[in-house]
Amino acid sequence: MRKMYPNAVGSTLAASFAVGDTISLSFADAVPAYAYGFDQLAVVGFVQDDATKEVKQTALSEPLVLPNYAVLKNCNPPAIPPLTCSSTVNGITVEIPNKGANTLTTCDINYSVDGGAVSTYNWTGSLAPGATTTATLSAVSISGNGSHSMNINAANANGAVNPQCADTRTNLSFVANITGTVPPVTELFSAVTFPPAGWGRYDASADNTGWTRSTAGSGGNNGSAKMDYYSSAAGNIDELYLPSIDLTGVNAASLTFKICKAPYSGYTDNLKVNVSTDCGATWNTLWNKSDPALSTVAALGTAFTPGGASTWRLETVDLVSLLGQVNSNIVFKATSGYGNNGYLDEINVTITTGVGENQLEEQISLFPTPSTGTVFLNLSAIKDNTVRISISDVTGKVVDTYTAAKSNQHELKMEKFQNGTYTINIDADGQRITKKVVLNK
């Protein structure tokens, strides 16, 4: 039961009725959005004694059978694969079941991409009640990398108004990586929009509990990508796609990211980094962890939100298998075990380009070392206007990150850190330059 008419109190009847008396009550309302199909709608009426709550009479209506009623279903496998690398998608197919009482001879299939212009496919044929056929729509054009959606609905069954319910429309979601991006690629999830520009997410189970943005970031960062394992049913798969990467003319490349996750006792979540060089026809797994190895904190029985910087762990994935490829795809594939939430932040794809990288490294100087707290970087050889700098301790843990303006001499304040050896990573000009400094206050 979803709704009471006219309200939860019902309609008051007369105090007494003579044998054979009747009463008629009429109600009208729009079909609610949660109604899946008209063949599932029915009405229960009952007469109740308010004093004793005793039900005196009751009756159930038969589900409504409409004369002309065409619905839509997604084909299995889906008409559009999760990932496409073309600006044009062909062969989109949907199923048309006839749930009306009459033979279906005509039906309009309306469809649009990302809420744009609507196209119409005019289906004709002879489809008996209860039978199903398929329709292949015309090619659709896609603009830009990232997440896209296609809305499709059935209308004008046999030229009549086709009543709209959830089963007369469908939605296909997919990710497009049409052009490769030359690294570096850096994402801190600071913007409210999710997924970020050029990124994509795919909810294979269509339960809307997969990847979302969280305001809980690593360290001082104010954003991260959250995987809601806590609410997602076991076995559900959700994917977060990076922009496609162009690694032509590159000697080395790596993916780094920070992860923060709690396990839930008795349940095992999984996260993989998969890569493809043939637009998702085949995938290779480069990184694969499940609870408890996946998690960074102790088990919790409530939904997990990151704490301080100590709850995050840095991970590195070598991308040597993608070198030379003009359009490589990288995806974080989460398989839920109905455990606890996981978060990703500071995702970086960095490259080195051989001689040029070596020349740049020689021109970037860091002094003094050892240092008592203040270190100076000479960044005059860098072409980029901004430079991303991160500082890691001997365990590989990133203790500070920020973006600096290009300058002849940049000052690093390290007095707040304990004595020891630190790695200074400078990301600029599509390269990562690494320097060492010994802090001895």
Side-chain angles (χ1 to χ4, degrees), residues 103-135:
T103 297
L104 186 66
T105 58
T106 62
C107 183
D108 293 339
I109 308 298
N110 301 317
Y111 56 100
S112 64
V113 176
D114 298 331
V118 176
S119 299
T120 300
Y121 174 85
N122 303 115
W123 177 88
T124 59
S126 181
L127 190 64
T132 298
T133 189
T134 59

Side-chain angles (χ1 to χ4, degrees), residues 326-340:
V326 69
N327 195 350
S328 297
N329 290 283
I330 305 172
V331 60
F332 289 96
K333 181 178 180 179
T335 303
S336 178
Y338 198 43
N340 216 328

Side-chain angles (χ1 to χ4, degrees), residues 138-159:
S138 300
V140 297
S141 298
I142 303 166
S143 176
N145 291 353
S147 292
H148 297 273
S149 63
M150 184 173 179
N151 298 309
I152 313 173
N153 72 81
N156 303 324
N158 288 344

Side-chain angles (χ1 to χ4, degrees), residues 33-50:
Y34 52 73
Y36 180 76
F38 285 94
D39 58 340
Q40 294 184 339
L41 291 177
V43 177
V44 174
F46 58 97
V47 178
Q48 176 179 292
D49 186 322
D50 276 348

Side-chain angles (χ1 to χ4, degrees), residues 40 81 186 351 355:
Q40 294 184 339
T186 298
I351 61 174
V355 175

Side-chain angles (χ1 to χ4, degrees), residues 12 15 32 44 77 89 106 130 140 146 160 186 193 260 274 324 372 432 436 438:
T12 302
V44 174
V89 178
T106 62
V140 297
T186 298
T193 302
C260 181
N274 288 344
T372 58
R432 166 164 284 194
K436 297 285 186 181
V438 177

